[in-house]
Amino acid sequence: MRAVLQRVDGAEVQIEGEVVGSVEGEGLLALIGVTHDDGPEQVATIARKICELRILEGERSVLDAGAQVLVVSQFTLYGDARKGRRPSWSGAAPGPVAEPLVEQVVEAIRARGITAATGRFGAQMRVGLTNDGPFTILLEA
């Protein structure tokens, strides 16, 4: 499982012009990619890191700051562009495997009392954000 975390000062995801999830003010945008052999261990690790990494202003975590998280599933994190001009997506888990694992990440974040908004799995989404810093981190579990 991979996650790209971006420290934001506001973020939203739209589907067909409708905002379906957002973070107001300070928080994180978490783009989540799932591969074939991911399971509960990777879910727990990624969720813990999202909640506990001290990457917000003043070396605070989302938990410390009472900040929000916007989680967006993104299979393209497992794109492989080492050969040719077209990426291969074979490293990404198929929807029936990936969707429940992304939902489990969201549930694990919410279980810690953090407000977590989401996009819609498999939908064509427009993600807008104000990157604070800019600050972006890649996690791998």
Side-chain angles (χ1 to χ4, degrees), residues 12-96:
E12 69 177 26
V13 61
Q14 293 183 14
I15 299 172
E16 296 179 5
E18 175 189 351
V19 175
V20 296
S22 66
V23 165
E24 303 297 326
E26 179 181 45
L28 292 178
L29 170 63
L31 307 172
I32 308 288
V34 178
T35 194
H36 302 280
D37 57 354
D38 286 339
E41 183 179 329
Q42 289 75 24
V43 166
T45 298
I46 291 292
R48 181 178 50 79
K49 291 286 193 176
I50 289 170
C51 296
E52 296 179 5
L53 275 177
R54 294 170 39 163
I55 58 176
L56 297 181
E57 194 67 38
E59 292 189 18
R60 295 173 303 143
S61 69
V62 170
L63 277 171
D64 298 334
Q68 301 173 342
V69 178
L70 176 58
V71 176
V72 178
S73 174
Q74 189 159 2
F75 78 93
T76 61
L77 293 180
Y78 278 97
D80 183 352
R82 290 178 288 184
K83 289 184 172 182
R85 298 185 309 155
R86 274 193 203 138
S88 166
W89 310 114
S90 62

Side-chain angles (χ1 to χ4, degrees), residues 59-140:
E59 292 189 18
R60 295 173 303 143
S61 69
V62 170
L63 277 171
D64 298 334
Q68 301 173 342
V69 178
L70 176 58
V71 176
V72 178
S73 174
Q74 189 159 2
F75 78 93
T76 61
L77 293 180
Y78 278 97
D80 183 352
R82 290 178 288 184
K83 289 184 172 182
R85 298 185 309 155
R86 274 193 203 138
S88 166
W89 310 114
S90 62
V97 172
E99 185 174 12
L101 292 174
V102 172
E103 271 305 311
Q104 289 171 28
V105 170
V106 173
E107 290 168 12
I109 292 168
R110 289 177 178 158
R112 291 170 171 252
I114 295 167
T115 299
T118 64
R120 191 171 304 138
F121 193 90
Q124 179 66 35
M125 296 177 272
R126 290 190 174 273
V127 179
L129 69 137
T130 302
N131 194 313
D132 181 20
F135 196 102
T136 303
I137 284 194
L138 175 63
L139 298 177
E140 193 131 11

